[in-house]
Amino acid sequence: MNWQVLIMYAVALVFAVVGVALLLALARPRSAGQVYAFRMIGIMALAGGVVLAMSATAMWQWSVGS
C-alpha cells in the first residue's frame, strides 16, 4: 500500500468521523438552522468519507494489479 492510498484513507476517516459527530450532535436540542446545517453537513461529510474510502480501495487494488 503506497502513501497516497494511506492519505486517502486518513482523509476518509476524518470526513466520516466529523459526519457522524455532527449527526450525533442532533441528539441534543438545536435550533432549526442548526438542525438543517448539522444534517446537511453531517450527511455530506459521511457520504464523502465513504466514497473516498471506496476510491482509495479501488486505487489500492489497481496499484496491486489484481
Side-chain angles (χ1 to χ4, degrees), residues 30-54:
R30 302 281 177 190
S31 69
Q34 286 177 328
V35 168
Y36 177 78
F38 282 24
R39 278 184 187 165
M40 291 299 293
I41 297 169
I43 291 293
M44 293 302 289
L46 186 57
V50 169
V51 169
L52 190 57
M54 291 188 309

Side-chain angles (χ1 to χ4, degrees), residues 13-39:
L13 180 64
V14 169
F15 280 172
V17 167
V18 168
V20 169
L22 286 172
L23 293 174
L24 289 176
L26 292 170
R28 295 193 322 233
R30 302 281 177 190
S31 69
Q34 286 177 328
V35 168
Y36 177 78
F38 282 24
R39 278 184 187 165

